[in-house]
Amino acid sequence: MPRGNPAPKSKRALDIIRRLKTAYPNAHCELHFSNPLQLLVATILSAQCTDKRVNLVTPSLFQKYRAAPDYAAAPTAALEADIKSTGFFRNKARSIQGACRALVEKHGGEVPPDMASLVQLPGVGRKTANVVLGNAFGLNQGIVVDTHVARLAKRLALSANTDPEKIEADLQKLVPQPDWSLVSHLLIWHGRRRCGARRPDCPGCEVKNLCPTGRKI
């Protein structure tokens, strides 16, 4: 007996999105920010760190550093101390300062609203660029693939790939472009609240009959 739903992958993906929209009507980016630069910095800090921890650090950070030149000119040791609790603080400070120096030198200190420019910033990859474009600018130019999205894409059999950019490409074929930013939030929220890495709540899952792997976990 085959497990899960035998419907074509594209239809199943749309059904999954529809159910997750119902389950999480307020799904959104859980990093706190009020402008594109703040989101860029918060996203860099969120690497291998929880959003909750980042949100504890950023209020004082954003009060101290108001614009890209402030980060660019800050003593590196001081910035490292300000973000130390997020982990990997030396690398993160280097990325933040490198990105902000590039913003000052090439973009008038403003975060550019396009993928090509963002990924040219030091320390900024496609995932970070997608976060900024989708949430600070409302542009659906890509799908954020973090650990939750990658895990759920595999469990839901929406992608067999492990490379984030290949997973993103697979999801883009299944998800309507107007939902590209939202689908990341839906999968992240579901991953945090229901489909955990170690103990997924399969019995209570809103998409359990659409999930080919749920009963095997």
Side-chain angles (χ1 to χ4, degrees):
M1 268 312 263
R3 296 178 184 269
N5 193 300
K9 186 186 295 186
S10 57
K11 181 181 183 305
R12 189 163 55 83
L14 294 177
D15 287 342
I16 288 169
I17 294 169
R18 177 177 53 78
R19 291 196 194 178
L20 293 180
K21 284 180 177 180
T22 299
Y24 310 108
N26 299 313
H28 61 274
C29 177
E30 294 187 278
L31 292 170
H32 297 166
F33 68 97
S34 59
N35 59 55
L37 178 63
Q38 289 185 357
L39 182 57
L40 176 64
V41 171
T43 306
I44 291 172
L45 294 178
S46 70
Q48 296 180 287
C49 180
T50 65
D51 288 358
K52 183 177 180 180
R53 166 53 56 185
V54 173
N55 289 337
L56 291 174
V57 170
T58 50
S60 59
L61 189 73
F62 295 161
Q63 184 71 21
K64 183 175 182 180
Y65 306 98
R66 300 296 187 98
D70 299 332
Y71 290 102
T76 300
L79 180 58
E80 288 176 351
D82 291 331
I83 65 173
K84 188 172 184 178
S85 66
T86 68
F88 301 95
F89 58 93
R90 291 189 179 88
N91 287 339
K92 292 178 181 180
R94 184 162 52 248
S95 294
I96 291 169
Q97 289 200 299
C100 287
R101 285 168 184 155
L103 291 179
V104 172
E105 294 169 4
K106 300 179 180 179
H107 302 284
E110 300 297 322
V111 178
D114 67 276
M115 178 66 71
S117 297
L118 284 170
V119 296
Q120 291 299 312
L121 300 175
V124 176
R126 185 172 177 86
K127 173 190 165 186
T128 297
N130 277 332
V131 172
V132 173
L133 290 171
N135 297 284
F137 295 107
L139 300 174
N140 288 296
Q141 294 189 10
I143 296 174
V144 175
V145 177
D146 72 348
T147 55
H148 297 290
V149 174
R151 181 176 72 253
L152 268 67
K154 181 178 180 180
R155 284 183 176 173
L156 292 167
L158 300 178
S159 175
N161 285 300
T162 56
D163 177 79
E165 291 195 16
K166 292 181 179 179
I167 294 171
E168 180 184 5
D170 290 339
L171 293 176
Q172 286 176 326
K173 296 173 186 174
L174 300 171
V175 179
Q177 187 168 357
D179 284 333
W180 281 3
S181 293
L182 178 59
V183 74
S184 297
H185 299 317
L186 294 173
L187 292 174
I188 290 169
W189 277 47
H190 194 61
R192 288 174 174 166
R193 293 158 175 79
R194 187 74 76 191
C195 193
R198 296 184 180 180
R199 298 182 64 184
D201 178 17
C202 295
C205 179
E206 291 81 356
V207 297
K208 60 185 176 183
N209 69 319
L210 297 171
C211 179
T213 64
R215 296 176 186 175
K216 300 178 184 178
I217 297 174

